[in-house]
Amino acid sequence: MSRLLANLLLLTAACLWGGAFVAQSEAGAWLNPGWFTGLRFALAFLTVLPLGLWEARRARQKLRGVMGLVALAAIFAISSFLQQWALSFTSVTHAGFLTGLYVIFVPVLEMVVLRRAAHPTVWGAALLALAGTWCLGGRISGLGFGDALIIVSAFGFAAQIVLLQHVARHTGRQVAAALAQSAACVLLGSGAGAVMSPLHLSAIYACLPQLLYGGIISGGVAFLLQALCQRHTGATDAAVMLMSESLFAALFAALLLHERLSETGWAGCALLFGALALAQFGPAIWPARRRALL
């Protein structure tokens, strides 16, 4: 898979995640954060399982790096639960903006943990994307409890992106990574949900469309795309692509929840598209220009 195709598929995943913010927000009226997380990723697990079995049959050797898979799954499950919980206290647009902060956390983690410097244009794209999400979120002046939860979850998603890069390349079993993440969410979410409140079938039926979208489309297809594509592009590059979910979250919120964008918000959209273009084409153009100047 080429880097261009991988980044385009990651952009598709970000679009699907943007729609999931609406589904997650609406489902909060019927299910607590734990039960929604658990049921959502149970559907995601079942969606991806056939591909996982196919991958296991084709594998030439036993699964390696099990501890890395466990760490990846735990980080992802905690971050997903915190994000869902936060949507009980903040808006979809607000949550999308703050989740996008992982575009800054990823290159910092890569530099500190992996001693790997990102391409200068990717750093520029990350900063441009941060400015775009800041405008899109309405230049937030204060942070509430839900905002704090989102920021913590964004850091967790940044760690997941960096770790997934390593796990996918080391194990060669990207579908297994997606399944492990879903399984951890089922365990953590269902456990937390049982503690928070009992589960009623009427609540499941009431938010079935949101569960189906959040589980099959966002939790299954989109996270599978991330696992498959991150093997073929850089972690910081992937973060910038995936961060566009804040743009899609704002657009879906405007269409479905009537959360309107201001002029500043539309300026943020333009900055985000500029960041995506810089992250995609900057690393290819920069060396060529440097050679031309020498």
Side-chain angles (χ1 to χ4, degrees):
M1 184 187 297
S2 69
R3 174 175 169 271
L4 175 60
L5 178 59
N7 283 348
L8 288 175
L9 290 176
L10 286 173
L11 191 61
T12 301
C15 178
L16 298 178
W17 287 339
F21 276 103
V22 175
Q24 291 172 250
S25 178
E26 290 181 332
W30 298 284
L31 292 172
N32 70 46
W35 280 125
F36 182 80
T37 300
L39 293 171
R40 173 193 180 191
F41 283 99
L43 289 172
F45 184 89
L46 294 174
T47 300
V48 179
L49 183 58
L51 285 175
L53 296 174
W54 175 80
E55 180 187 68
R57 285 196 299 268
R58 288 176 55 89
R60 298 180 180 179
Q61 57 187 1
K62 292 183 178 180
L63 182 63
R64 300 172 298 168
V66 175
M67 293 307 298
L69 276 176
V70 171
L72 174 70
I75 292 171
F76 179 78
I78 294 170
S79 302
S80 297
F81 172 73
L82 290 178
Q83 184 191 69
Q84 181 62 35
W85 189 18
L87 282 167
S88 302
F89 305 98
T90 190
S91 69
V92 168
T93 305
H94 209 166
F97 156 68
L98 290 171
T99 299
L101 290 175
Y102 63 67
V103 74
I104 297 300
F105 295 148
V106 166
V108 172
L109 283 174
E110 278 201 309
M111 184 176 61
V112 173
V113 178
L114 302 179
R115 309 295 183 188
R116 183 187 303 160
H119 192 280
T121 59
V122 176
W123 275 104
L127 293 174
L128 191 63
L130 180 62
T133 50
W134 183 259
C135 292
L136 193 62
R139 296 178 291 183
I140 301 164
S141 59
L143 297 176
F145 178 66
D147 304 320
L149 290 177
I150 287 286
I151 292 173
V152 174
S153 72
F155 186 84
F157 285 130
Q160 180 256 355
I161 290 171
V162 173
L163 187 55
L164 179 60
Q165 191 85 8
H166 170 76
V167 169
R169 290 177 176 175
H170 180 67
T171 65
R173 303 277 288 275
Q174 300 98 308
V175 183
L179 286 171
Q181 291 182 155
S182 293
C185 286
V186 173
L187 294 175
L188 175 63
S190 300
V195 172
M196 297 174 78
S197 65
L199 179 64
H200 300 287
L201 290 177
S202 59
I204 297 176
Y205 179 77
C207 65
L208 191 58
Q210 290 83 357
L211 272 174
L212 291 174
Y213 182 90
I216 296 174
I217 304 300
S218 173
V221 175
F223 281 108
L224 177 61
L225 285 176
Q226 182 198 11
L228 292 174
C229 295
Q230 271 205 234
R231 189 180 181 185
H232 305 282
T233 191
T236 302
D237 215 21
V240 174
M241 293 293 122
L242 296 176
M243 192 241 37
S244 64
E245 69 178 295
S246 63
L247 165 63
F248 293 114
L251 292 177
F252 281 120
L255 290 173
L256 302 176
L257 302 180
H258 307 294
E259 293 181 10
R260 298 305 179 190
L261 287 175
S262 63
E263 293 181 358
T264 303
W266 285 113
C269 292
L271 289 172
L272 277 169
F273 278 118
L276 296 177
L278 183 60
Q280 177 59 49
F281 302 110
I285 295 173
W286 181 278
R289 287 187 173 178
R290 287 190 63 185
R291 286 195 296 270
L293 292 173
L294 293 177

